[in-house]
């Protein structure tokens, strides 16, 4: 980080703006909004500035500034876009130790002006360190789109309860939970829906419950699907709960990029499983979830893909329900969907496959317990999870059941990640190709004629990773 972000209190203080054009008008506006007394120097003010003249706390000087005008200022803005005016202005500011910003002259700036999302009293300021302001603007548009306009008012509304909460809930940890539950729970929901009275009543009831010790002393468990790997594929809800958790239990499939989005001070517990050497037994994981929640923690159980697709999520919630612990389940993009999209293979297609079957080929000692009658049906796609180790057995099984050795098959390793590899072939050559390419997994195996579409759909190839630019889901905010 090259700059220190701070929010200056300039209420009632003097701010000098030199210039009469659009840039100057923006600076004037922002300084006025922040409560400053603004003096603008513009011999010939243009339209945007002229509209502002006459506003309270704004003085217009139809001349150029001198050193004496800088005296006593909190901030000086050079916005004339005239180098002959910039240079002395910067010098006077330096001599008098006044913070100075000259538009488009980084060498004359003590600070940079961020892009702003204004949800007063909430302000989001974005900086790219002066390198690429356009990125800041794009980012701003995204944040604007996701932050409800009422959010600032919500902050004011709950802010008024501060003292009462402080007195009723002396413990800092419990207090933080109370705040979060209030803002993200029914109180916040009622307020944002415009029902202030109900929000107030709900708050009073929640506070009473908390004071009486009936507040959420028990923790809860969030069973969250983190998708196949690309952090862009997380849901908003997944991200929100990741930011709220006190402790996270995660698998081998959860990469560092996703883990870095979990609340920084949350405790991390690795419960990774490999198909044969289990680091922690499923029962032990379920027990641990229960124990942590009973300690009052908000426990995040982060799972690759979707928790209910080969994720044993069902077993974990059964245990939680049995222990009377509150939980919520957040779906995620399952590996087959992610791999299909990022490898350019539609899992269904009207000309190729009317159904897609998700199966696991995780049998012991090369014996697969699969329903072959169902697997070999025509006009369907079969996506196989945990099947890489048994690929030869799988292929032999299809052939034994009379399926053509020309059947297209793809193996997608590390789908959706930078390291994604896609190997395509037929039952005849896939085993050799996968071995030659050193594929180790995790991998999804996709079987069916849809695999051929990959070549016809005009995919953009970046090394081993292929993505179609138009549908790449790299745009979670919809901007
Ligand atoms: N719940 C997960 C699946 C867990 S089983 C989901 O919905 O995706 C683990 C198997 O998922 C792996 O053996 C592999 O077959 C598949 N898998 C998970 N992530 C993958 C990825 N990024 N690329 C390819 N396969 C993946």
């Amino acid at each position: 980080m090259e700059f220190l972000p701070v929010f200056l209190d300039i209420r009632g203080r003097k701010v000098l703006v030199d210039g009469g054009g659009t840039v100057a008008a923006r600076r004037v506006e922002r300084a006025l909004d922040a409560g400053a007394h603004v003096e603008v120097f513009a011999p010939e003010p243009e339209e945007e500035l002229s509209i502002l003249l006459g506003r309270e706390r704004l003085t217009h000087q139809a001349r150029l500034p001198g050193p004496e005008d800088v005296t006593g200022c909190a901030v000086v803005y050079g916005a004339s876009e005239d180098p002959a005016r910039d240079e002395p202005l910067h010098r006077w500011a330096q001599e008098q130790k006044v913070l100075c910003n000259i538009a488009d002259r980084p060498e004359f700036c003590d600070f940079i002006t961020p892009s702003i999302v204004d949800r007063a009293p909430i302000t989001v300021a974005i900086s790219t360190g002066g390198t690429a302001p356009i990125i800041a603007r794009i980012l701003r548009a995204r944040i604007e789109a996701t932050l409800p306009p009422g959010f600032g008012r919500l902050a004011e509304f709950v802010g008024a309860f501060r003292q009462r909460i402080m007195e009723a809930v002396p413990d800092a940890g419990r207090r933080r939970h109370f705040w979060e539950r209030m803002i993200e729970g029914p109180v916040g929901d009622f307020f944002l829906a415009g029902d202030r009275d109900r929000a107030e009543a709900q708050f009073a009831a929640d506070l009473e419950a908390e004071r009486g010790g009936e507040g959420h002393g028990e923790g809860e468990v969030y069973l969250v699907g983190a998708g196949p790997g690309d952090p862009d594929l997380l849901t908003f809800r997944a991200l929100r709960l990741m930011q709220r958790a006190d402790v996270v239990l995660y698998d081998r499939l959860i990469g560092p990029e996703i883990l870095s989005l979990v609340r920084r001070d949350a405790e991390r517990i690795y419960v990774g499983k490999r198909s044969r050497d289990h680091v922690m037994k499923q029962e032990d994981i379920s027990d641990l979830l229960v124990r942590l929640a009973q300690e009052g923690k908000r426990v995040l159980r982060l799972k690759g893909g979707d928790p209910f697709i080969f994720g044993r999520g069902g077993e974990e919630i059964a245990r939680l329900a049995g222990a009377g612990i509150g939980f919520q389940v957040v779906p995620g993009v399952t590996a087959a969907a992610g791999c299909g999209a990022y490898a350019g293979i539609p899992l269904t297609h009207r000309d190729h496959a009317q159904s897609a079957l998700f199966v696991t080929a995780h049998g012991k000692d090369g014996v697969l317990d699969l329903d072959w009658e169902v697997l070999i049906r025509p006009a369907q796609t079969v996506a196989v999870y945990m099947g890489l180790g048994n690929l030869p057995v799988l292929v032999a099984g299809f052939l034994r059941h009379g399926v053509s050795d020309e059947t297209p098959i793809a193996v997608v390793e590390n789908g959706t990640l930078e390291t994604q590899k896609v190997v395509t072939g037929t039952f005849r050559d896939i085993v050799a190709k996968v071995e030659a390419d050193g594929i180790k997994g995790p991998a999804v195996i996709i079987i069916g004629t849809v695999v051929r579409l990959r070549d016809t759909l005009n995919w953009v190839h970046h090394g081993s990773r292929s993505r179609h630019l138009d549908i790449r889901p790299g745009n979670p905010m919809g901007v």
Side-chain angles (χ1 to χ4, degrees):
M1 192 160 64
E2 274 181 57
F3 294 86
L4 172 73
V6 291
F7 289 85
L8 281 184
D9 180 2
I10 57 168
R11 282 171 302 177
R13 299 193 56 191
K14 192 173 127 190
V15 168
L16 182 155
V17 179
D18 180 34
T22 302
V23 182
R26 292 288 93 77
R27 303 282 190 264
V28 168
E29 243 177 344
R30 191 165 285 173
L32 286 175
D33 287 347
H37 286 280
V38 181
E39 202 163 18
V40 62
F41 292 79
E44 290 164 12
E46 291 171 25
E47 193 180 341
E48 283 188 78
L49 182 60
S50 301
I51 296 169
L52 296 174
L53 298 180
R55 275 183 54 174
E56 214 184 320
R57 287 184 278 109
L58 177 61
T59 316
H60 174 224
Q61 305 288 1
R63 60 172 172 90
L64 299 185
E68 64 291 345
D69 297 309
V70 171
T71 308
C73 281
V75 174
V76 164
Y77 285 110
S80 64
E81 298 166 87
D82 175 356
R85 278 161 73 171
D86 291 340
E87 194 274 321
L89 189 65
H90 172 249
R91 184 158 32 82
W92 301 326
Q94 274 216 314
E95 282 160 10
Q96 302 187 39
K97 300 203 170 21
V98 172
L99 286 176
C100 178
N101 174 287
I102 309 280
D104 288 328
R105 303 287 297 272
E107 73 279 20
F108 286 165
C109 287
D110 297 317
F111 63 95
I112 50 181
T113 52
S115 258
I116 281 182
V117 180
D118 186 358
R119 294 285 186 275
I122 294 172
T123 310
V124 183
I126 305 152
S127 153
T128 59
T131 50
I134 193 75
I135 290 183
R137 253 171 269 150
I138 291 169
L139 208 58
R140 187 186 74 176
R142 292 185 177 191
I143 295 172
E144 293 260 10
T146 51
L147 216 55
F151 219 74
R153 281 181 286 113
L154 176 63
E156 252 161 6
F157 174 71
V158 297
F161 300 142
R162 214 185 171 112
Q163 197 56 38
R164 284 168 69 188
I165 297 172
M166 194 86 122
E167 285 160 12
V169 194
D171 179 77
R174 281 183 82 115
R175 199 159 61 229
R176 183 160 54 79
H177 288 194
F178 183 83
W179 272 101
E180 284 170 359
R181 276 201 313 278
M182 176 169 69
I183 292 163
E184 304 209 57
V187 174
D189 290 344
F190 288 142
F191 182 84
L192 287 173
D195 198 341
R196 198 187 172 103
D197 292 345
R198 230 174 135 189
E200 254 167 42
Q202 180 73 44
F203 165 75
D206 287 353
L207 193 66
E208 229 15 78
E210 183 77 29
R211 202 199 307 269
E214 317 155 23
H216 296 241
E218 291 249 306
E220 49 187 341
V221 175
Y222 315 132
L223 193 58
V224 173
D230 185 343
D232 258 5
L233 296 178
L234 285 171
T235 60
F236 285 132
R237 187 142 148 230
L239 196 58
R240 207 164 59 232
L241 297 176
M242 285 161 74
Q243 297 279 325
R244 214 193 276 176
D246 297 312
V247 49
V248 52
L249 277 66
Y250 65 101
D251 279 356
R252 186 174 62 95
L253 286 173
I254 304 297
E257 266 181 305
I258 287 186
L259 208 56
S260 73
L261 297 171
V262 175
R263 212 182 87 217
R264 254 165 200 258
D265 46 352
E267 184 191 346
R268 285 155 196 228
I269 303 176
Y270 177 67
V271 296
K273 287 188 291 196
R274 255 173 258 269
S275 54
R276 284 183 181 82
D277 92 76
H278 288 229
V279 170
M280 197 185 268
K281 286 208 215 76
Q282 184 59 49
E283 306 85 81
D284 295 341
I285 295 176
S286 299
D287 285 347
L288 186 58
L289 289 175
V290 169
R291 188 165 55 73
L292 290 167
Q294 281 169 343
E295 286 170 12
K297 298 203 168 107
R298 282 164 309 184
V299 187
L300 173 71
R301 175 70 174 107
L302 206 51
K303 290 192 166 270
D306 181 277
F308 281 178
I309 296 181
F310 307 127
R312 307 192 73 170
E315 294 159 55
E316 289 174 15
I317 59 171
R319 182 81 177 76
L320 295 169
I325 287 168
F327 61 87
Q328 44 178 309
V329 181
V330 182
V333 174
T334 192
C339 290
Y342 279 53
I345 302 169
L347 297 183
T348 68
H349 188 287
R350 52 181 295 164
D351 300 333
H352 292 266
Q354 272 67 53
S355 62
L357 211 56
F358 292 1
V359 299
T360 169
H362 177 213
K364 283 202 177 74
D365 308 324
V367 182
L368 295 184
D369 184 18
L370 293 168
D371 184 347
W372 288 101
E373 293 312 313
V374 176
L375 286 191
I376 61 170
R377 280 190 310 218
Q380 78 177 355
T381 304
V382 179
V384 187
Y385 288 67
M386 295 179 270
L388 189 64
N390 283 322
L391 183 63
V393 188
L394 194 68
V395 169
F398 273 94
L399 296 177
R400 200 169 58 243
H401 287 84
V403 177
S404 159
D405 66 356
E406 292 292 325
T407 304
I409 174 167
V411 176
V412 185
E413 181 191 47
N414 291 326
T416 78
L417 289 161
E418 286 298 333
T419 49
Q420 170 174 304
K421 269 193 191 169
V422 184
V423 181
T424 56
T426 63
F427 281 149
R428 217 169 334 125
D429 57 14
I430 194 71
V431 172
K433 280 185 167 179
V434 161
E435 203 178 285
D437 277 19
I439 301 293
K440 296 190 184 57
V444 165
I445 301 165
I446 302 175
I447 300 165
T449 54
V450 287
V451 169
R452 267 193 225 121
L453 293 167
R454 176 176 153 81
D455 300 324
T456 58
L457 285 179
N458 192 21
W459 287 74
V460 180
H461 294 261
H462 301 289
S464 58
R465 188 186 207 191
S466 321
R467 283 176 161 184
H468 194 289
L469 294 181
D470 294 337
I471 61 165
R472 203 210 134 183
N475 200 342
M477 313 278 188
V479 181

